[in-house]
């Protein structure tokens, strides 16, 4: 089994910052891409940012220049630094990891989600 545990969400005023963390643990041989998704009420889940094992990143246009994704491969942990937060960033944020297990089974795993609320 593989578990992804997120932390760092909360309530912040517009213009503020938050840092999300997501640690993967369990039966892990390697992790390819890791990413953060978000889902606001009444909207579809969207990819916010992703990072490959080699460090290549991509972002949804609405967060470019404000959010920064990074990872610590030794700790199987991915981070999302969120700056200049806007009310429209309010959503549940989910961590995702493309994991290869020791039995060579490859599967996408998800965290439980962490609420980010930005007040105006």
């Amino acid at each position: 089994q593989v578990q992804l545990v997120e932390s760092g969400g909360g309530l912040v005023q517009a213009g503020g910052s938050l840092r999300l963390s997501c640690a993967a643990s369990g039966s892990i041989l390697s992790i390819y891409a890791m990413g953060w998704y978000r889902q606001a009420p009444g909207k579809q889940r969207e990819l916010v940012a992703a990072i490959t094992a080699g460090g290549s990143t991509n972002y949804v246009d609405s967060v470019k220049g404000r959010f920064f994704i990074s990872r610590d491969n030794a700790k199987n942990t991915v981070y999302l630094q969120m700056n200049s937060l806007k009310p429209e960033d309010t959503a549940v944020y989910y961590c995702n990891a493309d994991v290869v297990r020791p039995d060579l089974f490859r599967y996408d795993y998800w965290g439980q989600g962490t609420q980010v609320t930005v007040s105006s």
Side-chain angles (χ1 to χ4, degrees):
Q1 270 289 19
V2 175
Q3 299 82 36
L4 271 61
V5 178
E6 301 143 340
S7 61
L11 172 64
V12 65
Q13 288 189 329
S17 297
L18 284 174
R19 188 189 194 215
L20 305 182
S21 299
C22 171
S25 63
S27 300
I28 298 171
L29 179 63
S30 61
I31 303 178
Y32 290 114
M34 301 185 80
W36 290 94
Y37 289 71
R38 67 185 178 187
Q39 188 166 20
K43 295 188 176 181
Q44 288 189 331
R45 188 175 297 191
E46 67 170 351
L47 175 64
V48 176
I51 184 168
T52 67
S56 297
T57 59
N58 68 282
Y59 300 90
V60 66
D61 285 347
S62 59
V63 308
K64 286 180 179 177
R66 300 188 298 122
F67 290 13
F68 300 93
I69 190 170
S70 61
R71 66 189 281 177
D72 184 332
N73 291 331
K75 296 181 179 180
N76 289 332
T77 299
V78 62
Y79 307 95
L80 186 66
Q81 178 66 42
M82 305 186 293
N83 302 325
S84 302
L85 282 159
K86 304 176 181 180
E88 51 264 43
D89 295 318
T90 295
V92 178
Y93 284 70
Y94 296 90
C95 172
N96 173 269
D98 182 2
V99 174
V100 179
R101 300 185 329 198
D103 59 3
L104 302 184
F105 182 80
R106 182 176 175 179
Y107 192 75
D108 262 357
Y109 289 91
W110 293 87
Q112 79 283 0
T114 185
Q115 177 70 47
V116 171
T117 303
V118 184
S119 63
S120 57

